[in-house]
Amino acid sequence: MARTVRVAVTGAAGQIGYALLPRLASGEVFGPDTRVELNLLEITPALPALEGVVMELQDCAFPLLDAVRTTDSAEEAFDGINWGLFVGSKPRGKGMERGDLIRENGPIFVGQGKALAKAADDVQVLVVGNPANTNCLIAKAHGVGGGIPAERFHAMMRLDQNRAMAQLALKAGTRVESVTNMTIWGNHSATQYPDAENAQIGGRPCTDVIGHIGWLQGEFIELIQQRGAAVIAARGLSSAASAANAALDHVRSMEGKTPDGEWFSAAVASDGSYGIEEGLVFSFPVRSSGGGNWSIVQDLEFSDFAKEKIQATEAELKEERDIVADLI
Ligand code: NAD
Ligand code: LMR
């Protein structure tokens, strides 16, 4: 018998929601033998617009889409869900850092963390709304308080990973799938550290293939750190298609088994690995054995340059945590 996966998407009438929902409903994430139910959460004034999105989902006639429910109640939206994609929150505008959104968006994740713990048990959560790591820290605090294990909460770093893989492939003049083991360390912010030292291209060290350490430690890192801002400057709106794509990649990676010797990037609750303070939602190299069981890849080695970058992004996450101390 086909299994059914129930997925909640918050902020479902927004830009990312529009790019995300048809692909979730198409079956491309959970596979052709899994039926999909969508629970869509929006703030009350956005419910009429959300009805238009629902009409479009119906009009796609997706064979695997069993149900679409809309609501402005988080508890209703999270009822019995297997995945929660927490997108709903305000995006930054030109000239802002993602962290500037923290006091405005942070409170959303208090209520949603609590509602999740009341409504669901066997659930995994991906926080996309910015600042994603610290919003996830808030949701985790309330989810764990209600009995959901901390390891079920993740924040999205996959867009940064995908951006880094694409730029390395362009530089090396090769295909993107030959870039593997691309770790983004730390925060989804301008302090993140895209780690070329441990990445590979065609199974060889990325540093050997690119052969230009100055570019890898300079232009490359800045390009990835500033890519979100560059998209906003060009589009007048933040990334949506690539963000939705990355969210789906994250879910697929967590649901599946990571190929031997490989890993992907995800922000998860630190267990103290690599000296990162326990509990911070920090991006690490992660492997999945399927069904939501993941572990942090251990024993990667770093130069002093990398160590400094990793410390800087950890320091920023501690500062963000202190700013929302009253919400945790
Ligand atoms: P958007 O403004 O188009 O849509 C956001 C939606 O969230 C709106 O429809 C709004 O009504 C809804 N919303 C607001 N508060 C809500 C709440 N309490 N409950 C439910 N829904 C709520 O924005 P977008 O472009 O879809 O981006 C959404 C978020 O994702 C932003 O914070 C953005 O910065 C972030 N983002 C993160 C990444 C990442 O890599 N982590 C990438 C891109 C965007
Ligand atoms: C991104 O990286 O594109 C998103 O986090 C949106 C932003 O504010 O940059």
Side-chain angles (χ1 to χ4, degrees):
M1 210 165 59
R3 81 172 172 139
T4 299
V5 168
R6 188 178 291 181
V7 184
V9 177
T10 76
Q15 286 204 87
I16 296 175
Y18 194 71
L20 186 64
L21 295 173
R23 294 184 60 188
L24 268 177
S26 73
E28 70 172 273
V29 180
F30 297 103
D33 298 326
T34 303
R35 310 197 66 80
V36 178
E37 295 182 8
L38 296 176
N39 285 7
L40 309 183
L41 179 68
E42 258 299 349
I43 52 172
T44 315
L47 287 176
L50 187 57
E51 282 315 309
V53 178
V54 174
M55 286 183 219
E56 287 209 60
L57 286 170
Q58 284 170 348
D59 296 348
C60 290
F62 289 119
L64 291 170
L65 183 59
D66 269 0
V68 184
R69 308 179 187 94
T70 63
T71 176
D72 56 4
S73 150
E75 222 173 299
E76 232 175 88
F78 301 154
D79 180 33
I81 57 169
N82 307 105
W83 270 97
L85 306 182
F86 285 15
V87 179
S89 52
K90 195 175 167 185
R92 66 172 162 159
K94 278 186 197 178
M96 292 172 74
E97 289 298 331
R98 299 176 185 91
D100 297 338
L101 297 164
I102 200 166
R103 288 302 314 180
E104 207 167 337
N105 285 343
I108 295 173
F109 296 85
V110 174
Q112 291 186 356
K114 286 182 182 163
L116 187 76
K118 280 194 195 153
D121 45 18
D122 186 12
V123 64
Q124 297 187 74
V125 174
L126 175 64
V127 176
V128 175
N130 277 320
N133 302 54
T134 298
N135 288 338
C136 183
L137 183 81
I138 298 168
K140 171 169 76 75
H142 297 281
V144 167
I148 300 178
E151 56 268 23
R152 299 302 185 93
F153 292 85
H154 328 143
M156 189 163 94
M157 302 300 293
R158 191 53 165 267
L159 180 52
D160 309 284
Q161 175 190 320
N162 287 347
R163 287 168 171 164
M165 289 168 65
Q167 292 304 319
L168 290 176
L170 277 174
K171 187 75 174 174
T174 187
R175 301 174 72 90
V176 78
E177 65 266 30
S178 67
V179 182
T180 56
N181 299 2
M182 184 66 242
T183 317
I184 309 290
W185 296 87
N187 198 2
H188 174 62
S189 75
T191 67
Q192 65 179 273
Y193 173 55
D195 174 7
E197 292 175 16
N198 285 295
Q200 297 191 345
I201 302 181
R204 293 173 55 211
C206 164
T207 41
D208 290 357
V209 176
I210 301 282
H212 188 342
I213 298 297
W215 182 82
L216 287 172
Q217 292 191 341
E219 212 177 309
F220 166 66
I221 292 177
E222 198 172 330
L223 203 159
I224 306 310
Q225 290 176 334
Q226 295 298 333
R227 187 64 159 192
V231 171
I232 292 170
R235 245 169 63 81
L237 289 170
S238 63
S239 63
S242 56
N245 181 65
L248 301 178
D249 279 348
H250 176 101
V251 173
R252 223 182 267 114
S253 289
M254 283 291 183
E255 287 275 312
K257 190 175 171 320
T258 311
D260 286 346
E262 293 191 12
W263 61 78
F264 56 94
S265 298
V268 293
S270 173
D271 58 356
S273 291
Y274 297 97
I276 302 304
E277 189 172 312
E278 217 174 312
L280 282 181
V281 177
F282 193 92
S283 183
F284 288 103
V286 166
R287 290 178 49 75
S288 165
S289 56
N293 297 308
W294 55 262
S295 57
I296 295 172
V297 175
Q298 301 295 326
D299 299 328
L300 297 190
E301 289 181 2
F302 308 106
S303 63
D304 288 342
F305 173 85
K307 280 182 196 152
E308 238 177 68
K309 295 279 179 203
I310 290 172
Q311 278 165 8
T313 195
E314 182 191 16
E316 183 186 49
L317 279 169
K318 288 181 186 168
E319 279 168 27
E320 288 186 11
R321 179 195 55 196
D322 293 347
I323 294 171
V324 298
D326 59 319
L327 302 180
I328 295 173

